[in-house]
């Protein structure tokens, strides 16, 4: 990010959208809003997209320009202060790439997370030993201290499943995920036990897509769909590749991924069979 942040917080994204809505409701153009701040129109656009931090003096000036009452300005500025507080994950900036820090922010605010994982167990469901073995493969030259930090970050993310307001998590795993050896056999046995344990939680659904189910519409790579209770936020899809990730929030894009998830869910083994299926695979390790 241009101002040194790893990525915007969800709060900053929402407030940026609200600033856009207020500007449009006031009938002000980007140029008119920018003139009030003595900046160029690009700066206002970036504020509304949360591509730069929300500076309270700038926000206050914009709100006055849009004719917002003083008491509402005060309340909005309080939200800005709250949104500008660094997320817990920023303490891991040394091992957290900027393209993934937005993911962690979205993950923490989502009410529903739907994921397709063709290669490895979902990060929120990994054991520490499995995560360490996986990360050691992904970062073969990392020092032990760096690896410890990466594992700690992954384990910290899992705390959200223990919250009273934990999101609904629905994960589709290819059968190869639970058959692929990651670490020693005892690591895989413990990992499968963790999957069985998590699948029994009321807010977690785990489905396995058997080899025998054949081709399906998402045989390209892992992705996740986030849904929020925050009205301003649309569904957001995160699609990862070897060197980064892409985020989609346009309805025409997210609808394609949502349809794929629905179709794969119908092809996968029913969630009621997950424990038995995983139990049989566990015997192979």
């Amino acid at each position: 990010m241009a101002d040194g942040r790893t990525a915007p917080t969800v709060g900053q994204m929402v407030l940026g959208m609200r600033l856009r809505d207020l500007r449009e409701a006031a009938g002000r153009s980007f140029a008119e809003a920018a003139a009030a701040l003595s900046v160029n129109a690009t700066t206002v656009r970036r504020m509304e997209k949360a591509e730069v931090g929300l500076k309270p003096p700038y926000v206050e000036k914009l709100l006055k320009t849009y004719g917002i009452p003083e008491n509402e300005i005060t309340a909005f500025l309080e939200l800005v202060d709250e949104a500008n507080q660094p997320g817990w994950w920023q303490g891991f900036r040394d091992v957290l790439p900027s393209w993934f820090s937005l993911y962690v922010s979205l993950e923490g605010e989502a009410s529903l997370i739907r994921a397709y994982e063709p290669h490895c167990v979902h990060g929120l469901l990994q054991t520490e030993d499995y995560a360490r073995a996986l990360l050691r493969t992904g970062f073969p030259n990392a020092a032990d201290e760096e690896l410890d930090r990466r594992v700690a970050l992954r384990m910290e993310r899992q705390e959200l499943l223990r919250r009273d307001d934990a999101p609904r998590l629905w994960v589709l795993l290819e059968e190869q995920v639970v058959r692929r050896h990651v670490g020693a056999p005892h690591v895989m046995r413990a990992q499968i036990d963790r999957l069985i344990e998590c699948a029994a939680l009321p807010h977690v659904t785990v489905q396995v897509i058997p080899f025998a189910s054949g081709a399906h519409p998402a045989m390209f790579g892992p992705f996740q769909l986030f849904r929020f209770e925050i009205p301003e936020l649309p569904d957001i899809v995160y699609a990862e590749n070897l060197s980064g990730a892409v985020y989609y929030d346009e309805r025409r894009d997210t609808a394609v991924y949502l349809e794929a998830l629905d179709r794969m869910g119908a092809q996968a083994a029913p969630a009621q069979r997950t424990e038995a299926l995983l139990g049989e695979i566990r015997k192979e390790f």
Side-chain angles (χ1 to χ4, degrees):
M1 305 302 294
D3 58 353
R5 295 175 299 156
T6 54
T9 65
V10 167
Q12 289 168 331
M13 294 171 62
V14 170
L15 293 180
M17 294 175 183
R18 290 182 183 174
L19 283 175
R20 177 201 61 200
D21 293 342
L22 291 172
R23 176 181 56 77
E24 292 176 349
R28 298 303 183 98
S29 67
F30 282 116
E32 290 172 324
L37 300 179
S38 298
V39 298
N40 58 45
T42 300
T43 298
V44 177
R45 289 178 185 271
R46 298 188 69 198
M47 288 176 64
E48 292 181 359
K49 292 182 179 181
E51 293 177 351
V52 294
L54 295 176
K55 299 179 180 179
Y58 277 20
V59 173
E60 182 176 12
K61 183 65 175 179
L62 286 177
L63 294 176
K64 289 180 177 178
T65 301
Y66 303 155
I68 306 303
E70 192 65 35
N71 64 318
E72 293 183 24
I73 291 176
T74 300
F76 198 104
L77 291 175
E78 290 176 355
L79 293 176
V80 170
D81 287 338
E82 182 178 337
N84 284 342
Q85 295 301 311
W88 64 264
W89 59 90
Q90 293 194 26
F92 289 90
R93 291 179 65 174
D94 55 322
V95 293
L96 184 65
S98 60
W99 53 265
F100 193 68
S101 59
L102 176 56
Y103 173 98
V104 179
S105 180
L106 295 173
E107 182 180 69
E109 295 294 335
S111 59
L112 170 67
I113 303 171
R114 296 186 64 179
Y116 166 60
E117 290 288 354
H119 305 308
C120 61
V121 172
H122 190 280
L124 293 179
L125 304 178
Q126 293 177 9
T127 66
E128 184 171 339
D129 287 341
Y130 181 97
R132 187 176 300 278
L134 198 63
L135 289 165
R136 172 58 73 192
T137 301
F139 300 92
N141 299 318
D144 289 343
E145 181 179 350
E146 177 187 338
L147 196 66
D148 289 343
R149 293 279 292 160
R150 293 185 182 278
V151 173
L153 170 61
R154 190 157 299 183
M155 295 301 104
E156 184 69 22
R157 284 172 48 211
Q158 295 181 3
E159 288 299 313
L160 73 87
L161 290 182
R162 302 180 182 92
R163 296 186 332 205
D164 292 338
D165 61 342
R168 180 86 170 82
L169 176 65
W170 183 357
V171 178
L172 293 164
L173 299 175
E174 292 282 5
E175 182 177 343
Q176 65 193 23
V177 169
V178 286
R179 291 190 181 278
R180 174 176 286 122
H181 290 238
V182 176
H186 75 274
V187 172
M188 287 303 302
R189 289 194 295 271
Q191 179 58 72
I192 292 175
D193 287 342
R194 171 67 62 83
L195 284 173
I196 293 172
E197 174 187 331
C198 290
L201 296 173
H203 57 289
V204 176
T205 299
V206 177
Q207 285 184 271
V208 177
I209 305 175
F211 293 134
S213 68
H216 59 70
M219 300 191 326
F220 302 99
F223 67 88
Q224 305 199 46
L225 183 143
F226 299 103
R227 180 164 292 171
F228 308 88
E229 293 182 349
I230 303 169
E232 291 89 345
L233 283 181
D235 287 351
I236 297 177
V237 167
Y238 164 91
E240 189 171 321
N241 55 53
L242 192 59
S243 60
V246 179
Y247 294 86
Y248 301 100
D249 62 3
E250 294 291 337
R251 176 60 182 168
R252 65 177 180 271
D253 295 320
T254 59
V256 173
Y257 285 90
L258 184 60
E259 180 181 358
L261 285 166
D262 288 340
R263 290 174 62 187
M264 285 190 292
Q267 284 184 247
Q272 295 87 342
R273 288 190 53 209
T274 296
E275 180 177 354
L277 197 158
L278 291 176
E280 286 301 312
I281 294 174
R282 186 187 188 282
K283 296 175 183 178
E284 301 175 12
F285 290 99

